[in-house]
Amino acid sequence: MENIHRKWMLVEYKDFTKEELVKLEANIDLTKNSESADRYTAKMGCNGMFFTAEFNKGKAKFSEVGSTMMYCDGRMKLEQLFGKEFPDLKQYKVEGHFLTLFNENGGRMKFVAADWD
């Protein structure tokens, strides 16, 4: 079984450059939490974000996406797009140290494992 339950750094999404994503420290943390098994966190440049997720044989379900409510000048575009589009991602694929999430319209987000050198 692939190791999906780890921290993932966003490296490809829409027209954002990899450098922009690195600067924003964009990531999702799918590390298992003993207090809330299907609850995870993310950061896309400003606010702390949270969501629930289920993974089963290439299918993904994301829901209850929320965040804290700070405003960070020049750092909100990625966060707003992520919050809007993340729940529409319905499939996942782990290949080596990469995680790719897909929606039905060809949209995708690609991540690299944070603990990979």
Side-chain angles (χ1 to χ4, degrees):
M1 166 124 181
E2 72 269 346
N3 183 14
I4 197 165
H5 295 290
R6 61 205 302 186
K7 187 173 182 179
W8 299 93
M9 307 303 292
L10 185 59
V11 292
E12 288 180 26
Y13 180 54
K14 292 200 175 282
D15 60 351
F16 292 93
T17 66
K18 185 175 179 182
E19 292 74 25
E20 288 175 299
L21 298 171
V22 169
K23 183 178 178 184
L24 293 169
E25 299 177 39
N27 73 80
I28 58 173
D29 189 344
L30 300 179
T31 306
K32 282 286 192 185
N33 178 343
S34 60
E35 294 176 20
S36 187
D38 293 331
R39 196 98 175 122
Y40 305 100
T41 61
K43 185 153 183 145
M44 293 292 143
C46 182
N47 289 285
M49 303 182 79
F50 46 87
F51 57 92
T52 60
E54 298 173 31
F55 303 96
N56 187 9
K57 298 179 184 171
K59 303 284 185 206
K61 180 180 178 186
F62 301 102
S63 57
E64 300 178 38
V65 179
S67 73
T68 57
M69 301 291 286
M70 296 185 307
Y71 174 77
C72 302
D73 192 38
R75 298 175 72 90
M76 301 301 295
K77 182 181 176 188
L78 175 62
E79 187 172 297
Q80 290 167 346
L81 287 170
F82 178 85
K84 180 181 171 192
E85 296 181 5
F86 192 63
D88 295 333
L89 301 169
K90 304 290 186 201
Q91 296 177 310
Y92 75 93
K93 184 187 298 186
V94 176
E95 296 176 298
H97 52 271
F98 290 101
L99 166 67
T100 307
L101 304 174
F102 304 90
N103 69 24
E104 288 139 2
N105 302 320
R108 69 186 196 113
M109 294 180 189
K110 187 172 185 178
F111 300 83
V112 64
D115 58 356
W116 184 79
D117 287 323

